[in-house]
Amino acid sequence: MKKTIIKMKLNSRTDFVDTLAEIDFHFSAPYWQHDRVFVPKRFARDKAMPRLDLRTIVKDPEKQATYALVMRRHFEDEKFDLVNATVVENYSETAHILYQLGYELRYEVSRRREELRMGDSVNVYLDKIDGLPGYYARIESDLMEGDDPVAAYNDILETFKVLHVTSRPIVDTYGEILESSKNDPMDKLS
């Protein structure tokens, strides 16, 4: 599926949630996700190379986790991602297949996620990433045949403005943000 996706760091989780509640949009209960991000050798994100996320989803601790394999290719200049996902039955076997195909584990990202659906084709996610301060909002718009990704991108930017989120869009993945935060010399001083 073709998607336009923008994420931004929130100044205030409470303000964001309250603004959406004022227009009668409410987030789901939080749930846990853990992604192991696999990339091909000599991976270059700017070359729109695919990455594979082996995802664990726990929505109810009393029930079995769900596992999914998510393929993602990012096209920054065109403002869209190609995203395909499938449920997998055997997590370990799937991880071994990825290694045998020559993929290598690049990042591991755990998050608490809340979600809401705005209309038929727009999802809003509220993410708390383990190891990072603050919260992130992510809006994804599913693109249909003939939709202009740049127009969808601009629509999402306008949606963020209406929701009083004025930070800059974050291009880096959560894994890249985590990695750069570990390499930040200011973090080592605290």
Side-chain angles (χ1 to χ4, degrees):
M1 174 165 285
K2 201 171 178 181
K3 295 177 179 266
T4 295
I5 302 167
I6 299 178
K7 73 174 160 285
M8 293 190 186
K9 184 149 188 200
L10 297 176
N11 289 328
S12 168
R13 176 197 181 280
T14 304
D15 290 347
F16 185 69
V17 170
D18 288 348
T19 300
L20 282 161
E22 287 173 11
I23 54 175
D24 207 25
F25 283 108
H26 305 281
F27 282 96
S28 69
Y31 61 92
W32 182 76
Q33 278 188 348
H34 181 81
D35 286 354
R36 294 177 71 204
V37 181
F38 291 84
V39 296
K41 292 186 185 334
R42 296 180 294 285
F43 175 77
R45 191 160 165 253
D46 61 337
K47 304 270 191 261
M49 297 176 79
R51 71 174 204 259
L52 296 168
D53 299 353
L54 188 51
R55 178 170 290 167
T56 303
I57 305 163
V58 179
K59 290 198 173 185
D60 181 347
E62 302 296 319
K63 295 182 180 174
Q64 177 121 5
T66 303
Y67 305 110
L69 183 63
V70 181
M71 188 280 302
R72 186 178 305 272
R73 290 181 67 195
H74 179 70
F75 297 87
E76 180 60 34
D77 293 342
E78 287 87 14
K79 304 293 185 208
F80 73 89
D81 287 39
L82 290 178
V83 182
N84 293 293
T86 188
V87 173
V88 296
E89 295 297 320
N90 189 316
Y91 183 94
S92 297
E93 188 175 283
T94 304
H96 288 296
I97 290 169
L98 294 176
Y99 284 121
Q100 290 173 7
L101 289 172
Y103 281 76
E104 53 192 35
L105 180 61
R106 175 70 57 94
Y107 309 111
E108 291 200 47
V109 179
S110 288
R111 69 180 143 253
R112 281 165 289 156
R113 172 169 272 186
E114 299 169 64
E115 62 184 63
L116 73 83
R117 192 146 181 85
M118 290 180 122
D120 293 333
S121 63
V122 177
N123 289 313
V124 181
Y125 300 99
L126 183 58
D127 291 330
K128 174 64 179 122
I129 308 302
D130 291 356
L132 292 177
Y135 285 83
Y136 294 82
R138 176 184 174 110
I139 300 179
E140 296 185 1
S141 177
D142 298 339
L143 300 173
M144 303 303 149
E145 190 67 36
D147 285 351
D148 179 4
V150 174
Y153 183 89
N154 291 331
D155 285 347
I156 294 172
L157 285 177
E158 284 302 313
T159 301
F160 272 116
K161 283 182 192 173
V162 168
L163 297 173
H164 309 292
V165 179
T166 56
S167 57
R168 300 177 141 252
I170 298 171
V171 177
D172 291 345
T173 66
Y174 290 137
E176 291 166 340
I177 296 167
L178 277 166
E179 186 173 271
S180 67
S181 74
K182 291 177 185 171
N183 296 328
D184 186 350
M186 296 306 290
D187 285 347
K188 293 176 182 163
L189 296 175
S190 31

